[in-house]
Amino acid sequence: MGNSSEVQSDRHDEHGKRFVGRAKEMMTLDRWFDDPEAPLTIFSVTGMGGIGKSSLLSEMLSVSRNRGATAIWMDGRSCGSTPSVFLEYLSSTLGLETMESNVDLRPLSRLNETSVHKRLVIAVDNYEELALLESWFMEVFVTKLSSAGVLVILASRSKPTTAWRSHPRLRQRLVQMPLQHFTNVEVSEYIAGAGSLNTGMAGTIARMTDGHPFGLALAVEAANHRQNVNLAEWAELSYMISARLLLELTLPRLHPMIEVLTLLETANQELLSSVLQTEVTLEEYQALKRMSFIRSDPDGLALHDLARLHLLRDFRQREPQRLQAMRVRIAGLLMPLHAQAGPHEQRQIARRMLLLCQESMLQHRKYADVSTESLFSPLEVMREGDLPLLHRLLEEWCEYSVEPWQAEPYRPFLDELAQRYPEGIVLMRDRSGDPIAMFITVLVHRESSEMLLRYFPAEMKECFTPQELHCDPDQTDTHFAVLAAARDDVPGYKREELVGYMALDRLSLLGDGARVMLVATNPNLKLFLQSIGFRMRRARTRVCDQYEDQADVLDLDLRNGQFGEWVMSLLDPENQGSRIQHGSKDGDMDQLPWTESDLRKMLAHLHSPGELHTYAARVKGVQDGMELQLRVLDLLEGRAHGISQQDQMLLYAAYWTHAGNPTAAAQACSMSRATFYRHLRTALIRLTRVL
């Protein structure tokens, strides 16, 4: 038994995986079902990676369905970052769960039909991914649910935020369930369920795994497979899981499928077959399902997070070129699927594509050079006690980012934002849990813009029209990036690297088809953002300038179906080119986008201003060929920001100092001609974005 002899603590799911223990949590669920009033209740399931949060959610949903409730599972990673996206996902999930009943009924209408006799259970795994939606989720969505017959289960690594624990109405409905390692009794039961381990082996596994559920499952599976595993490796198992062990537990013919799952968050049988270009049989797919470090979810199979981390690290070290080639192949396969999919499926595909290209950005973008393994937990929303440390971060940021007279609004802004929209403040923590960096973004709508206008009127007027500032909260699709601040004393990391790491994480907000805008003065930040596809224009006034650095408005607008092109341009710039096009707005010129061919022809005439005249009209603010020549040379000689130093060197050698002599140009750059041509094409692609 687990913690109580009254609860059956060892169950098997349809794939033969055992669910052991968690008797206290399951008894709490049973009590809610036995309560004739069944008040609206929120379970908060929390704990470290591998502790069994997803397994508990799955078991709770199974029990709920057996008790006659409508029970749905949602992944916070697929819920989107705006209310409308979340509601579309919820509607899709409800529709699938109840498809055998009245097909004419709108799925969301079932929320209004909920009662003690017709109960609803909503489980959200990876709830921390809803950080930007937490205020809306709590104040609008949950509070509008029926006061009886609804159970919401939220699974996350961190305990509930202060907003939940201090909420005047919901705190009484909140039940915290922090998960711990298995007890000795639960460990013994799990091992006994394996049925074939001798007493000595069982005792060794019990001692060495220390009750860590994921480690226990792997150890038992290794023993069952008679793998030659040194059991001393299982000490502190949550930190010692290795790629070697995971692959030893896998049949060799399943290794290619494991590689695909390493790169994709989830994949079903059809997608695995498409990526591998060979049939994945039902027998092979079922074999994957039975493995202890693979879980099933509504969208297919997924590796446990810890397993995926180790396998990805191993793949990267062994075969980096094949890893990158596989990323490009998978993204190319997903891109047309993303364009053709419905809203919910499109968001899931978008997240997979973001996971594929994120590491490419980390490896190839100088501003965000975080190529070593991060020691930090995922970004999370601020919690009680963080505010004093955040003010310290803010004070440091103000010293190097704004002039003294500009710093005044930020202090009260941080306090008000922490009170009204804490989900807009995400943090990076060190191993001790202290904030070392924070990133602030705010969804722009009529309520949040009232606050933003009070503190940053000049920035808001530079970025937004009055209509955009007064849009409905449920319809907003634009994020305003306020600031990114980081300590400069973190061992092994520069401040700029931490900021870049957070910026890349926040790009996931655009996966639904959204937009982000900001006002920037830091030249390195402008260069980084332009290199990943942001459009830049000069600010209309000089109010936002910082010392000698001029303010510019930057935006990345992926609301019009351009997400796939953007991801591919990051993942495979040499072959994809720069295809992202922005619609004209606020007086922007209706100009044709530059192509690589256009740019090569123009640069071939760089020494002849008269020949450049025909291209001048295509560059904003340029009147004739002479001005165009000066504009391009400013970029190539580093007087204007926009392209990296390496790109400047390559283009300057190819089209100015050694024009028409590629051999001399390659020698000047200390490259072979083949390497020179390869890097030159990428430089041309990036220059098209600037022009």
Side-chain angles (χ1 to χ4, degrees), residues 599-618:
L599 194 61
R600 287 182 183 275
K601 292 177 182 177
M602 185 270 284
L603 291 174
H605 298 299
L606 192 56
H607 282 272
S608 304
E611 299 292 339
L612 293 176
H613 185 74
T614 56
Y615 298 94
R618 299 182 61 179

Side-chain angles (χ1 to χ4, degrees), residues 74 86-96 98 106-108:
M74 301 177 69
F86 177 90
L87 292 174
E88 286 178 8
Y89 181 22
L90 175 63
S91 177
S92 173
T93 308
L94 271 171
L96 288 173
T98 58
R106 294 174 57 192
L108 287 181

Side-chain angles (χ1 to χ4, degrees), residues 47-63:
M48 64 184 292
I51 203 67
K53 300 183 295 294
S54 297
S55 296
L56 178 58
L57 257 62
S58 179
E59 182 65 17
M60 285 184 164
L61 289 178
S62 178
V63 169

Side-chain angles (χ1 to χ4, degrees), residues 94-142:
L94 271 171
L96 288 173
E97 180 66 26
T98 58
M99 61 187 302
E100 294 180 357
S101 56
N102 187 351
V103 295
D104 297 324
L105 194 61
R106 294 174 57 192
L108 287 181
S109 66
R110 298 181 184 278
L111 299 179
N112 298 323
E113 292 188 339
T114 304
S115 68
V116 294
H117 304 295
K118 197 171 185 180
R119 302 191 187 189
L120 172 67
V121 177
I122 302 174
V124 183
D125 202 359
N126 301 299
Y127 173 69
E128 61 268 20
E129 296 287 342
L130 267 68
L132 286 169
L133 272 181
E134 184 165 71
S135 179
W136 173 86
F137 182 81
M138 183 189 312
E139 298 291 348
V140 179
F141 177 73
V142 173

Side-chain angles (χ1 to χ4, degrees), residues 335-635:
M335 187 175 167
L337 298 178
H338 177 268
Q340 300 164 9
H344 170 52
E345 187 181 0
Q346 188 176 55
R347 287 187 298 277
Q348 294 175 313
I349 297 172
R351 181 173 180 86
R352 294 170 184 162
M353 296 179 73
L354 281 168
L355 288 173
L356 290 171
C357 76
Q358 183 172 4
E359 190 167 309
S360 294
M361 290 189 281
L362 292 173
Q363 290 175 343
H364 302 303
R365 311 302 174 187
K366 183 178 180 181
Y367 181 79
D369 184 14
V370 192
S371 54
T372 57
E373 289 295 335
S374 172
L375 300 178
F376 309 108
S377 60
L379 300 192
E380 58 183 69
V381 178
M382 64 166 291
R383 59 186 184 226
E384 187 178 10
D386 285 332
L387 198 54
L389 290 174
L390 298 189
H391 271 289
R392 290 187 205 171
L393 277 174
L394 180 64
E395 291 297 330
E396 292 180 20
W397 179 85
C398 288
E399 289 177 4
Y400 63 79
S401 296
V402 295
E403 297 187 41
W405 67 270
Q406 295 171 317
E408 280 303 312
Y410 287 94
R411 301 179 187 93
F413 167 73
L414 181 60
D415 288 329
E416 184 172 347
L417 187 68
Q419 179 66 32
R420 294 181 58 184
Y421 304 105
E423 67 276 5
I425 308 171
V426 293
L427 308 178
M428 181 182 288
R429 302 183 188 275
D430 60 17
R431 280 186 163 180
S432 65
D434 292 332
I436 57 171
M438 69 173 170
F439 202 105
I440 297 178
T441 56
V442 182
L443 274 168
V444 179
H445 50 76
R446 62 171 176 263
E447 296 172 9
S448 63
S449 63
E450 171 268 329
M451 176 185 65
L452 291 167
L453 281 167
R454 276 193 283 111
Y455 295 108
F456 313 116
E459 289 86 347
M460 300 308 289
K461 290 175 183 176
E462 288 285 356
C463 292
F464 301 104
T465 65
Q467 292 77 16
E468 290 171 330
L469 292 174
H470 291 89
C471 74
D472 188 89
D474 287 348
Q475 299 300 318
T476 180
D477 55 16
T478 298
H479 304 273
F480 178 65
V482 180
L483 64 87
R487 280 170 30 190
D488 61 356
D489 59 351
V490 179
Y493 289 89
K494 298 178 183 178
R495 172 187 285 145
E496 292 79 10
E497 290 173 330
L498 297 178
V499 172
Y501 188 86
M502 293 191 299
L504 292 176
D505 179 90
R506 296 292 82 192
L507 286 171
S508 65
L509 302 177
L510 306 179
D512 313 326
R515 176 178 62 158
V516 62
M517 299 194 73
L518 69 152
V519 175
T521 56
N522 185 326
N524 292 322
L525 174 59
K526 296 177 189 177
L527 179 61
F528 163 63
L529 294 178
Q530 286 183 289
S531 76
I532 60 172
F534 274 70
R535 178 178 58 175
M536 186 173 78
R537 64 170 172 81
R538 292 289 174 90
R540 287 183 282 268
T541 70
R542 303 274 62 84
V543 177
C544 301
D545 288 0
Q546 196 266 329
Y547 295 111
E548 71 278 6
D549 292 327
Q550 182 168 319
D552 291 293
V553 177
L554 292 106
D555 78 287
L556 181 60
D557 190 348
L558 301 179
R559 296 176 297 180
N560 298 315
Q562 295 179 314
F563 177 81
E565 296 282 358
W566 175 65
V567 168
M568 291 301 296
S569 72
L570 297 174
L571 191 61
D572 191 21
E574 292 188 16
N575 294 323
Q576 183 67 13
S578 178
R579 300 184 182 179
I580 299 180
Q581 304 172 19
H582 300 272
S584 61
K585 175 187 171 183
D586 294 341
D588 289 348
M589 298 177 66
D590 265 336
Q591 298 167 329
L592 292 174
W594 286 90
T595 66
E596 184 183 334
S597 176
D598 293 337
L599 194 61
R600 287 182 183 275
K601 292 177 182 177
M602 185 270 284
L603 291 174
H605 298 299
L606 192 56
H607 282 272
S608 304
E611 299 292 339
L612 293 176
H613 185 74
T614 56
Y615 298 94
R618 299 182 61 179
V619 180
K620 186 176 181 179
V622 171
Q623 302 298 321
D624 54 33
M626 182 66 73
E627 288 191 15
L628 179 57
Q629 182 192 54
L630 293 174
R631 174 72 64 85
V632 173
L633 287 175
D634 281 346
L635 286 166

Side-chain angles (χ1 to χ4, degrees), residues 234-245:
W234 295 99
E236 295 293 329
L237 192 109
S238 60
Y239 301 103
M240 296 295 291
I241 297 166
S242 69
R244 178 186 62 80
L245 174 63

Side-chain angles (χ1 to χ4, degrees), residues 137-276:
F137 182 81
M138 183 189 312
E139 298 291 348
V140 179
F141 177 73
V142 173
T143 55
K144 286 185 178 180
L145 293 172
S146 172
S147 60
V150 180
L151 173 63
V152 179
I153 311 173
L154 309 176
S156 61
R157 295 195 177 193
S158 301
K159 65 181 181 180
T161 60
T162 303
W164 278 106
R165 290 179 279 118
S166 61
H167 196 281
R169 297 183 304 279
L170 297 180
R171 64 181 178 182
Q172 303 299 328
R173 309 289 182 91
L174 182 68
V175 179
Q176 296 191 53
M177 296 182 172
L179 300 187
Q180 307 298 330
H181 286 204
F182 281 161
T183 65
N184 290 335
V185 173
E186 290 168 337
V187 171
S188 298
E189 286 185 353
Y190 189 93
I191 294 175
S196 59
L197 301 183
N198 61 53
T199 304
M201 178 70 73
T204 301
I205 290 175
R207 289 192 303 273
M208 301 307 285
T209 58
D210 193 32
H212 184 270
F214 181 50
L216 178 63
L218 285 176
V220 170
E221 186 168 349
N224 280 334
H225 282 74
R226 302 294 191 270
Q227 294 293 334
N228 184 23
V229 178
N230 180 5
L231 290 174
E233 293 183 4
W234 295 99
E236 295 293 329
L237 192 109
S238 60
Y239 301 103
M240 296 295 291
I241 297 166
S242 69
R244 178 186 62 80
L245 174 63
L246 296 172
L247 291 173
E248 284 179 355
L249 293 176
T250 307
L251 295 172
R253 61 193 174 94
L254 300 181
H255 283 184
M257 301 162 213
I258 296 294
E259 288 182 342
V260 176
L261 291 174
T262 300
L263 297 179
L264 281 170
E265 198 164 73
T266 59
N268 57 24
Q269 186 178 354
E270 180 182 3
L271 183 55
L272 286 170
S273 299
S274 297
V275 173
L276 296 173

